[in-house]
PDB file of all heavy atoms in Angstrom:
ATOM      1  N   TYR A  32      94.476  69.843 119.201  1.00 96.00           N
ATOM      2  CA  TYR A  32      93.885  71.181 119.297  1.00 96.00           C
ATOM      3  C   TYR A  32      94.710  72.212 118.530  1.00 96.00           C
ATOM      4  O   TYR A  32      94.159  73.154 117.965  1.00 96.00           O
ATOM      5  CB  TYR A  32      93.674  71.603 120.752  1.00 96.00           C
ATOM      6  CG  TYR A  32      94.929  71.690 121.590  1.00 96.00           C
ATOM      7  CD1 TYR A  32      95.693  72.839 121.611  1.00 96.00           C
ATOM      8  CD2 TYR A  32      95.331  70.610 122.366  1.00 96.00           C
ATOM      9  CE1 TYR A  32      96.850  72.914 122.386  1.00 96.00           C
ATOM     10  CE2 TYR A  32      96.467  70.675 123.144  1.00 96.00           C
ATOM     11  CZ  TYR A  32      97.231  71.828 123.149  1.00 96.00           C
ATOM     12  OH  TYR A  32      98.363  71.914 123.910  1.00 96.00           O
ATOM     13  N   MET A  45     100.178  81.027  99.961  1.00 81.00           N
ATOM     14  CA  MET A  45     100.896  82.263 100.279  1.00 81.00           C
ATOM     15  C   MET A  45     101.086  82.988  98.954  1.00 81.00           C
ATOM     16  O   MET A  45     101.510  82.398  97.968  1.00 81.00           O
ATOM     17  CB  MET A  45     102.255  81.926 100.909  1.00 81.00           C
ATOM     18  CG  MET A  45     102.945  83.090 101.600  1.00 81.00           C
ATOM     19  SD  MET A  45     103.791  84.303 100.576  1.00 81.00           S
ATOM     20  CE  MET A  45     105.121  83.359  99.922  1.00 81.00           C
ATOM     21  N   THR A  47     101.947  87.116  97.151  1.00 80.00           N
ATOM     22  CA  THR A  47     102.437  88.474  97.413  1.00 80.00           C
ATOM     23  C   THR A  47     101.747  89.536  96.567  1.00 80.00           C
ATOM     24  O   THR A  47     102.043  90.714  96.711  1.00 80.00           O
ATOM     25  CB  THR A  47     103.960  88.549  97.182  1.00 80.00           C
ATOM     26  OG1 THR A  47     104.239  88.128  95.849  1.00 80.00           O
ATOM     27  CG2 THR A  47     104.703  87.669  98.171  1.00 80.00           C
ATOM     28  N   LEU A  48     100.829  89.139  95.721  1.00 78.00           N
ATOM     29  CA  LEU A  48     100.140  90.115  94.864  1.00 78.00           C
ATOM     30  C   LEU A  48      99.289  91.094  95.666  1.00 78.00           C
ATOM     31  O   LEU A  48      99.114  92.245  95.268  1.00 78.00           O
ATOM     32  CB  LEU A  48      99.274  89.403  93.832  1.00 78.00           C
ATOM     33  CG  LEU A  48     100.046  88.580  92.800  1.00 78.00           C
ATOM     34  CD1 LEU A  48      99.084  87.819  91.915  1.00 78.00           C
ATOM     35  CD2 LEU A  48     100.965  89.458  91.988  1.00 78.00           C
ATOM     36  N   THR A  49      98.765  90.630  96.782  1.00 81.00           N
ATOM     37  CA  THR A  49      97.924  91.492  97.615  1.00 81.00           C
ATOM     38  C   THR A  49      98.671  92.753  98.029  1.00 81.00           C
ATOM     39  O   THR A  49      98.083  93.832  98.119  1.00 81.00           O
ATOM     40  CB  THR A  49      97.450  90.723  98.864  1.00 81.00           C
ATOM     41  OG1 THR A  49      96.818  89.529  98.439  1.00 81.00           O
ATOM     42  CG2 THR A  49      96.483  91.543  99.675  1.00 81.00           C
ATOM     43  N   ASP A  65      88.608  89.247 102.196  1.00 92.00           N
ATOM     44  CA  ASP A  65      89.300  89.117 100.916  1.00 92.00           C
ATOM     45  C   ASP A  65      89.425  87.658 100.499  1.00 92.00           C
ATOM     46  O   ASP A  65      89.301  87.334  99.322  1.00 92.00           O
ATOM     47  CB  ASP A  65      90.697  89.758 100.994  1.00 92.00           C
ATOM     48  CG  ASP A  65      90.648  91.274 101.111  1.00 92.00           C
ATOM     49  OD1 ASP A  65      89.591  91.879 100.848  1.00 92.00           O
ATOM     50  OD2 ASP A  65      91.701  91.858 101.472  1.00 92.00           O
ATOM     51  N   HIS A  68      85.799  86.593  99.326  1.00 93.00           N
ATOM     52  CA  HIS A  68      85.341  87.239  98.086  1.00 93.00           C
ATOM     53  C   HIS A  68      86.269  87.034  96.893  1.00 93.00           C
ATOM     54  O   HIS A  68      85.798  86.907  95.760  1.00 93.00           O
ATOM     55  CB  HIS A  68      85.126  88.730  98.310  1.00 93.00           C
ATOM     56  CG  HIS A  68      84.017  89.037  99.266  1.00 93.00           C
ATOM     57  ND1 HIS A  68      82.704  88.663  99.048  1.00 93.00           N
ATOM     58  CD2 HIS A  68      84.022  89.663 100.456  1.00 93.00           C
ATOM     59  CE1 HIS A  68      81.948  89.047 100.054  1.00 93.00           C
ATOM     60  NE2 HIS A  68      82.730  89.657 100.936  1.00 93.00           N
ATOM     61  N   ASP A  77     100.904  88.435 106.562  1.00 92.00           N
ATOM     62  CA  ASP A  77      99.443  88.326 106.663  1.00 92.00           C
ATOM     63  C   ASP A  77      99.043  87.003 107.298  1.00 92.00           C
ATOM     64  O   ASP A  77      98.240  86.961 108.239  1.00 92.00           O
ATOM     65  CB  ASP A  77      98.795  88.415 105.272  1.00 92.00           C
ATOM     66  CG  ASP A  77      98.975  89.757 104.599  1.00 92.00           C
ATOM     67  OD1 ASP A  77      98.966  90.782 105.292  1.00 92.00           O
ATOM     68  OD2 ASP A  77      99.119  89.781 103.358  1.00 92.00           O
ATOM     69  N   LEU A  83      98.147  83.745 114.219  1.00 96.00           N
ATOM     70  CA  LEU A  83      98.312  84.172 115.612  1.00 96.00           C
ATOM     71  C   LEU A  83      96.955  84.511 116.223  1.00 96.00           C
ATOM     72  O   LEU A  83      96.642  84.125 117.351  1.00 96.00           O
ATOM     73  CB  LEU A  83      99.254  85.375 115.681  1.00 96.00           C
ATOM     74  CG  LEU A  83      99.554  85.926 117.067  1.00 96.00           C
ATOM     75  CD1 LEU A  83     100.262  84.893 117.927  1.00 96.00           C
ATOM     76  CD2 LEU A  83     100.392  87.195 116.947  1.00 96.00           C
ATOM     77  N   GLU A  88      92.426  83.170 119.827  1.00 97.00           N
ATOM     78  CA  GLU A  88      90.995  82.935 120.017  1.00 97.00           C
ATOM     79  C   GLU A  88      90.721  81.569 120.634  1.00 97.00           C
ATOM     80  O   GLU A  88      89.726  81.391 121.323  1.00 97.00           O
ATOM     81  CB  GLU A  88      90.248  83.071 118.686  1.00 97.00           C
ATOM     82  CG  GLU A  88      90.084  84.506 118.236  1.00 97.00           C
ATOM     83  CD  GLU A  88      89.320  84.638 116.931  1.00 97.00           C
ATOM     84  OE1 GLU A  88      88.926  83.611 116.324  1.00 97.00           O
ATOM     85  OE2 GLU A  88      89.116  85.782 116.509  1.00 97.00           O
ATOM     86  N   PRO A  95     104.776  85.793 117.534  1.00 93.00           N
ATOM     87  CA  PRO A  95     105.399  85.897 116.206  1.00 93.00           C
ATOM     88  C   PRO A  95     106.924  85.849 116.293  1.00 93.00           C
ATOM     89  O   PRO A  95     107.510  86.239 117.298  1.00 93.00           O
ATOM     90  CB  PRO A  95     104.925  87.258 115.714  1.00 93.00           C
ATOM     91  CG  PRO A  95     104.720  88.055 116.955  1.00 93.00           C
ATOM     92  CD  PRO A  95     104.261  87.069 118.006  1.00 93.00           C
ATOM     93  N   ILE A  96     107.520  85.353 115.227  1.00 90.00           N
ATOM     94  CA  ILE A  96     108.968  85.397 115.058  1.00 90.00           C
ATOM     95  C   ILE A  96     109.250  85.868 113.638  1.00 90.00           C
ATOM     96  O   ILE A  96     108.379  85.821 112.777  1.00 90.00           O
ATOM     97  CB  ILE A  96     109.638  84.030 115.310  1.00 90.00           C
ATOM     98  CG1 ILE A  96     109.120  82.967 114.335  1.00 90.00           C
ATOM     99  CG2 ILE A  96     109.469  83.594 116.750  1.00 90.00           C
ATOM    100  CD1 ILE A  96     109.913  81.685 114.339  1.00 90.00           C
ATOM    101  N   HIS A  99     115.445  88.800 109.114  1.00 83.00           N
ATOM    102  CA  HIS A  99     115.749  89.727 108.026  1.00 83.00           C
ATOM    103  C   HIS A  99     114.689  90.820 107.894  1.00 83.00           C
ATOM    104  O   HIS A  99     114.382  91.258 106.781  1.00 83.00           O
ATOM    105  CB  HIS A  99     115.913  89.000 106.692  1.00 83.00           C
ATOM    106  CG  HIS A  99     116.999  87.985 106.662  1.00 83.00           C
ATOM    107  ND1 HIS A  99     118.311  88.288 106.898  1.00 83.00           N
ATOM    108  CD2 HIS A  99     116.962  86.650 106.443  1.00 83.00           C
ATOM    109  CE1 HIS A  99     119.046  87.200 106.812  1.00 83.00           C
ATOM    110  NE2 HIS A  99     118.248  86.175 106.556  1.00 83.00           N
ATOM    111  N   ASP A 113     102.347  74.014 123.251  1.00 94.00           N
ATOM    112  CA  ASP A 113     101.314  73.101 123.723  1.00 94.00           C
ATOM    113  C   ASP A 113     101.197  73.224 125.239  1.00 94.00           C
ATOM    114  O   ASP A 113     101.891  74.041 125.858  1.00 94.00           O
ATOM    115  CB  ASP A 113     101.571  71.663 123.258  1.00 94.00           C
ATOM    116  CG  ASP A 113     102.782  70.992 123.895  1.00 94.00           C
ATOM    117  OD1 ASP A 113     103.390  71.574 124.828  1.00 94.00           O
ATOM    118  OD2 ASP A 113     103.121  69.877 123.464  1.00 94.00           O
ATOM    119  N   PHE A 119     106.319  74.818 118.869  1.00 94.00           N
ATOM    120  CA  PHE A 119     106.175  74.342 117.498  1.00 94.00           C
ATOM    121  C   PHE A 119     106.288  75.522 116.539  1.00 94.00           C
ATOM    122  O   PHE A 119     105.630  76.543 116.726  1.00 94.00           O
ATOM    123  CB  PHE A 119     104.801  73.671 117.304  1.00 94.00           C
ATOM    124  CG  PHE A 119     104.666  72.379 118.050  1.00 94.00           C
ATOM    125  CD1 PHE A 119     104.281  72.362 119.384  1.00 94.00           C
ATOM    126  CD2 PHE A 119     104.932  71.172 117.420  1.00 94.00           C
ATOM    127  CE1 PHE A 119     104.158  71.180 120.082  1.00 94.00           C
ATOM    128  CE2 PHE A 119     104.815  69.975 118.121  1.00 94.00           C
ATOM    129  CZ  PHE A 119     104.422  69.973 119.448  1.00 94.00           C
ATOM    130  N   ILE A 131     106.153  72.189 113.279  1.00 91.00           N
ATOM    131  CA  ILE A 131     107.377  71.437 113.528  1.00 91.00           C
ATOM    132  C   ILE A 131     107.828  71.654 114.974  1.00 91.00           C
ATOM    133  O   ILE A 131     108.019  72.793 115.401  1.00 91.00           O
ATOM    134  CB  ILE A 131     108.520  71.915 112.590  1.00 91.00           C
ATOM    135  CG1 ILE A 131     108.101  71.871 111.130  1.00 91.00           C
ATOM    136  CG2 ILE A 131     109.801  71.131 112.852  1.00 91.00           C
ATOM    137  CD1 ILE A 131     107.877  70.499 110.583  1.00 91.00           C
ATOM    138  N   LEU A 132     107.989  70.576 115.719  1.00 91.00           N
ATOM    139  CA  LEU A 132     108.493  70.663 117.083  1.00 91.00           C
ATOM    140  C   LEU A 132     109.926  71.192 117.042  1.00 91.00           C
ATOM    141  O   LEU A 132     110.770  70.641 116.336  1.00 91.00           O
ATOM    142  CB  LEU A 132     108.453  69.288 117.748  1.00 91.00           C
ATOM    143  CG  LEU A 132     108.948  69.220 119.195  1.00 91.00           C
ATOM    144  CD1 LEU A 132     108.046  70.022 120.122  1.00 91.00           C
ATOM    145  CD2 LEU A 132     109.015  67.764 119.642  1.00 91.00           C
TER     146      LEU A 132
END
Side-chain angles (χ1 to χ4, degrees):
Y32 61 86
M45 195 282 293
T47 57
L48 294 175
T49 306
D65 291 345
H68 295 299
D77 295 325
L83 181 63
E88 285 181 358
I96 61 169
H99 300 300
D113 69 7
F119 291 85
I131 306 293
L132 180 65

